[in-house]
Amino acid sequence: MQARKSFAQMMNKKRYALLIISLLFVSFFIKKEAYSFGFYAHKKINRMAVFCLPPDMINFFKKHIEYLSEHAIDPDKRSRAVPGEDIKHYIDIDHYGENPFDSVPHYWKDAVKKYTEDTLKEYGINPWWINNMLFSLTQAFKDEDLDRILYLASNFGHYIADACTPLHTSQWYDGKSFEQKGIHAFWETRIPELFADTYNYLVGKATYVEKPTEFAWLLVKESHYAVDTIFSMDNHLRSHFPEDKKYVFEEKGNTMSRQFSREYTLEFVKLTHNMVERRMQRAVFAVASLWYTAWVNAGQPDLSRLENKEISKKHKKELKANEKLWKTGKPVGRPNPE
Ligand SMILES: [Zn+2]
């Protein structure tokens, strides 16, 4: 009896060890996968925004289209190493009561007066930050500073695109229940990765934004009004879709990970009337329009004067140093703020 007991204990120990090893594997994969959330969509949005620009801007932006697309994801990389970065990517507007769009002041100073800076920072500052970026990009255009124009324009595109993403406007940013966990990545990574190449990006020409503050808040409002649809359609589909057809295992990099199947994803897309495509189109238009607005506010500098200039060595060095910091830095702030 004693021998059998210790054998059983041994087996339990082995099982326990196996369980720990597999959990470590799973968490390693999840971490790796989390690192790429939303990257594809952000790059695509900045790239497509270039084609909406007016003739006076398009040549310069086209010349640097690879840079603008590549650095569209810098704010997400930065948020993994720099404290205070993550709050620029979202606003939990539902924290502010039943009718938040009537009660939260659109201007930073008024909002600070009403809620204190600490509170605002706790629930995210995205629409206010968009205004800040507009100001910085305008200044870079005024200075005709090629490095700053490109770096700020690419980063600015990121924050604008985040405002167009419904789950960046809610404290339930990764679902309202345990079952819904993963909805954030599903919406902004899985769907674009499967279908964004077939989307229509002919969203018209960039237009001058008369009231940028109101525009940033409008983007957030539109996004937030889509949150309930996401949750209710997700609940509906989860309980109605055949269990054995929900998931597939796919190779990502050199790891295998569980993903929602193409059929399941397509059904969600239909139920939400192509919401991801509509919000990405909105983001492309908004990015192009705010880039254009910064240029107009700077006095419409002649960008052909910058056409023969290249990115400086100093800036290239900065970019390299940033990459290094972001790779080695430990995640700070909210998980998956992308
Ligand atoms: Zn982001």
Side-chain angles (χ1 to χ4, degrees):
M1 191 68 192
Q2 191 57 41
R4 277 181 71 181
K5 201 178 170 189
S6 54
F7 179 71
Q9 274 172 343
M10 238 172 65
M11 281 310 285
N12 279 343
K13 266 190 187 168
K14 265 191 177 172
R15 266 188 204 161
Y16 184 68
L18 269 174
L19 181 72
I20 294 292
I21 288 166
S22 31
L23 279 175
L24 279 173
F25 260 107
V26 168
S27 67
F28 172 70
F29 288 159
I30 288 169
K31 246 179 140 178
K32 262 199 106 162
E33 197 192 324
Y35 195 70
S36 62
F37 285 164
F39 282 8
Y40 179 87
H42 278 295
K43 287 182 179 181
K44 190 87 180 170
I45 288 163
N46 270 11
R47 178 177 291 275
M48 300 321 287
V50 171
F51 298 100
C52 304
L53 292 170
D56 285 343
M57 293 179 79
I58 199 165
N59 287 344
F60 172 76
F61 275 73
K62 255 190 193 166
K63 184 182 169 189
H64 298 287
I65 198 165
E66 293 307 327
Y67 179 107
L68 289 159
S69 173
E70 202 49 45
H71 293 282
I73 57 175
D74 282 13
D76 279 343
K77 291 182 182 173
R78 192 185 306 120
S79 72
R80 294 171 192 283
V82 179
E85 171 61 34
D86 62 323
I87 59 171
K88 298 169 185 168
H89 300 238
Y90 61 85
I91 181 164
D92 296 343
I93 197 70
D94 40 13
H95 162 76
Y96 298 95
E98 280 280 297
N99 300 303
F101 293 103
D102 296 334
S103 47
V104 180
H106 292 183
Y107 289 90
W108 177 251
K109 276 185 181 168
D110 300 336
V112 168
K113 241 184 231 170
K114 188 166 179 180
Y115 295 106
T116 78
E117 191 167 331
D118 283 351
T119 305
L120 299 182
K121 284 183 172 172
E122 194 173 342
Y123 297 99
I125 62 165
N126 175 270
W128 296 294
W129 188 250
I130 286 177
N131 256 285
N132 213 309
M133 289 296 292
L134 178 68
F135 184 78
S136 306
L137 181 59
T138 304
Q139 193 55 50
F141 274 126
K142 277 184 189 166
D143 299 341
E144 299 189 19
D145 182 336
L146 179 120
D147 295 344
R148 301 290 296 157
I149 292 172
L150 292 177
Y151 195 69
L152 290 166
S154 56
N155 281 238
F156 191 20
H158 182 102
Y159 299 117
I160 300 164
D162 276 352
C164 297
T165 311
L167 295 173
H168 282 244
T169 67
S170 172
Q171 56 193 324
W172 310 106
Y173 60 91
D174 201 19
K176 268 193 162 171
S177 60
F178 178 76
E179 290 73 35
Q180 281 185 331
K181 209 167 159 37
I183 186 78
H184 193 106
F186 176 64
W187 198 99
E188 63 176 55
T189 301
R190 181 63 173 160
I191 298 177
E193 275 179 0
L194 281 178
F195 305 117
D197 266 342
T198 64
Y199 291 169
N200 177 5
Y201 295 100
L202 297 172
V203 296
K205 286 194 163 42
T207 54
Y208 180 72
V209 181
E210 294 277 350
K211 295 178 177 169
T213 303
E214 297 313 314
F215 184 60
W217 279 94
L218 177 66
L219 298 176
V220 171
K221 195 174 187 177
E222 294 165 356
S223 293
H224 192 66
Y225 284 170
V227 170
D228 274 350
T229 308
I230 295 177
F231 291 154
S232 58
M233 291 308 144
D234 181 69
N235 274 339
H236 172 82
L237 196 56
R238 258 171 218 281
S239 48
H240 287 82
F241 203 84
E243 201 59 43
D244 60 331
K245 293 195 170 89
K246 264 186 196 170
Y247 303 102
V248 287
F249 278 88
E250 278 182 10
E251 212 175 322
K252 265 200 157 192
N254 45 14
T255 63
M256 291 294 279
S257 65
R258 195 176 77 153
Q259 300 279 352
F260 281 109
S261 68
R262 195 181 178 86
E263 294 73 24
Y264 181 90
T265 311
L266 194 59
E267 201 52 40
F268 183 86
V269 169
K270 279 187 202 160
L271 283 171
T272 53
H273 302 290
N274 303 316
M275 186 196 284
V276 175
E277 180 174 11
R278 286 185 285 114
R279 292 314 287 161
M280 276 183 75
Q281 288 168 337
R282 186 68 169 141
V284 169
F285 174 78
V287 170
S289 295
L290 285 167
W291 283 348
Y292 174 52
T293 303
W295 175 74
V296 171
N297 290 352
Q300 309 191 4
D302 183 357
L303 296 179
S304 69
R305 287 201 288 260
L306 298 176
E307 257 162 42
N308 295 325
K309 272 193 172 177
E310 296 297 333
I311 296 162
S312 73
K313 276 185 185 164
K314 186 178 161 234
H315 185 51
K316 282 183 185 163
K317 261 189 181 172
E318 272 169 13
L319 294 174
K320 258 193 179 168
N322 284 347
E323 280 293 331
K324 208 176 159 191
L325 171 74
W326 299 335
K327 269 188 189 143
T328 51
K330 289 201 171 76
V332 287
R334 174 179 290 190
N336 313 324
E338 301 81 3

